[in-house]
Amino acid sequence: MKVREGGMTVGKLPTGVKNCITDVEGVLVGHVTLDYPLDESGAEYACTGVTAILPHNGNLFKEKVTAASYVINGFGKTTGLVQVNELGVLESPIMLTNTFSVPAVTQGVLEYMLNESPEIGDTTGTINIVVGECNDSYLNSIRRFPVKPEHAVNAIKNATINQAVEGAVGAGKGMMCFGYKGGIGSSSRIVEEYTVGCLVLSNFGKKKELQRYRYAGGEGLSETSDGSIIIVLATDAPLSDRQIQRLAKRCGIGLGRTGSHFSHGSGDIVIAFSTAQKTAHFSEDVLETRVQLREDHPIMNQLFRAAAEAAEEAILNSLSQAVTTKGRLGRVVNQINFQ
């Protein structure tokens, strides 16, 4: 269950109805989870998956959304973030998976988007695919490449506006957080008429680093690698790409509150977008009109606060929603039990 259902309150701002990134109208989330042995002994095991976050259910290439990314610590392997920050738009789903599956997922999404828009790479330009990753090799036989391009396609096709399934699902199936089972977590905040939603893929931290939240039971691993986290932030507030990047930076506050210090070997990356305005790929207009919030209006500080609170709670939900999971070499990572 989510931590709020167990009596824990994070921050001061109200949550959305679902307390999920899909509280931002139009945002969809889908998963494909792989959970099966890869050999007769069971020593090699697929404990991994793919998660897709779509800003809307239309043609993402033809109707781009304003976006930015922010690298808190760059020990990660992603695709597409250079162009996102250069042009300020997102034109593909945001895909999450394990480290060695980035190429397969990129290929799958590329094939899907080419089928959606045959003009890509022919009568118009190429497309920028965005994929983020964390290393799930403690539980998943990452060297066996269990994730295939079709899994990425299916994750996109599975995406819905319903409350996202969290925990040990999709890309989060084999992830660990603070020595306990981690994975997918989500949360949202309401700021006046706007919504800020966050979804994380948590795979970072050592048991001793977890802040003093109320928890008991579920023995965690005492020694783990630095790990990583991908944070996806969505909002319907009308923001420029520069303002979105400012919002993305505040997710680091929520990450730090849980106990992270952005360690040397951790890839801590935020990918953020606004659904408020779409940019048409095909247009002959010389000018376009954009609306954005005033920088000095008090609502900006509330949005910053919302990003920090939603990121913190999403991480805690990735822990509380996960279940004890068995993977390669008979390894087991236990769930945490918050009181």
Side-chain angles (χ1 to χ4, degrees), residues 1-3 5 18-21 29 31 163-170 172 182-187 198-200 313-323:
M1 62 181 178
K2 286 180 177 280
V3 291
E5 296 169 9
K18 293 175 283 190
N19 192 17
C20 178
I21 194 172
V29 176
H31 303 293
Q163 181 167 331
V165 181
E166 300 171 55
V169 296
I184 299 294
S186 193
S187 186
C198 183
L199 182 143
V200 304
E313 187 164 342
I315 293 166
L316 296 178
N317 285 334
S318 76
L319 285 160
S320 69
Q321 297 277 70
V323 296

Side-chain angles (χ1 to χ4, degrees), residues 180-323:
Y180 292 93
K181 190 66 192 70
I184 299 294
S186 193
S187 186
S188 67
R189 292 294 184 275
I190 304 298
V191 176
E192 297 186 16
E193 68 267 39
Y194 303 121
T195 303
V196 175
C198 183
L199 182 143
V200 304
L201 177 64
S202 70
N203 190 56
F204 68 95
K206 302 181 186 302
K207 181 180 178 181
K208 63 184 178 182
E209 295 168 345
L210 178 62
Q211 287 297 303
R212 298 181 184 274
Y213 298 102
R214 294 175 292 125
Y215 67 95
E219 183 178 352
L221 301 174
S222 58
E223 291 300 325
T224 55
S225 62
D226 288 346
S228 299
I229 183 170
I230 301 292
I231 302 173
V232 179
L233 193 71
T235 185
D236 54 10
L239 302 174
S240 68
D241 58 300
R242 180 184 57 78
Q243 290 174 321
I244 291 170
Q245 188 175 68
R246 294 191 72 204
L247 197 66
K249 292 178 182 179
R250 273 64 186 184
C251 291
I253 298 170
L255 175 58
R257 286 173 180 165
T258 65
S260 171
H261 57 270
F262 320 149
S263 58
H264 162 72
S266 186
D268 306 321
I269 297 167
V270 187
I271 307 167
F273 62 88
S274 168
T275 63
Q277 300 169 100
K278 297 181 178 68
T279 300
H281 180 77
F282 296 106
S283 176
E284 296 180 359
D285 294 336
V286 175
L287 301 176
E288 62 180 11
T289 302
R290 312 286 290 177
V291 176
Q292 67 181 57
L293 295 177
R294 279 187 61 92
E295 211 82 33
D296 58 355
H297 193 282
I299 198 171
M300 288 298 294
N301 280 331
Q302 291 296 88
L303 290 171
F304 291 161
R305 183 178 185 177
E309 288 187 8
E312 179 183 7
E313 187 164 342
I315 293 166
L316 296 178
N317 285 334
S318 76
L319 285 160
S320 69
Q321 297 277 70
V323 296

